[in-house]
Amino acid sequence: MLHVPVDGVVSGCGQRIPPTARVSAPDPEWFLRGRCYNCFHRLWPQYGPADYIQPHDGKQFPPTRKCPHARNPRYCPRCTPTAAQNWPRPNG
């Protein structure tokens, strides 16, 4: 689980960062590297990017971009092209 450091002492979820840990400089793309749902839940309203969808559970990492076609990007045929599918054959 990768926590998102806020001030170098405490992470976004309140977990203390040990003094021996290496802390990186503030990163504008923190949301692409973190994996702690609690950090995201607390930091997203203030620091979350407007063009990404906020993760709502631990399975939605990394966050996905919002669909410009007003759809869920996971089901939009333009944002997420479908992989090769087994289409039914009309002649068997």
Side-chain angles (χ1 to χ4, degrees), residues 3-70:
H3 295 283
V4 180
V6 177
D7 57 3
V9 177
V10 178
S11 67
C13 66
Q15 188 79 9
R16 292 194 58 77
I17 299 171
T20 57
R22 290 180 16 191
V23 179
S24 61
D27 184 3
E29 293 186 345
W30 63 270
F31 55 93
L32 296 176
R33 293 170 191 34
R35 295 290 183 270
C36 175
Y37 170 74
N38 291 326
C39 287
F40 272 70
H41 181 70
R42 292 182 180 162
L43 294 175
W44 199 274
Q46 185 175 1
Y47 300 108
D51 56 339
Y52 279 80
I53 298 173
Q54 178 181 0
H56 292 289
D57 62 31
K59 297 177 184 175
Q60 297 179 345
F61 289 103
T64 55
R65 284 191 181 273
K66 289 184 179 177
C67 174
H69 312 108

Side-chain angles (χ1 to χ4, degrees), residues 19 28 68 79:
C79 292

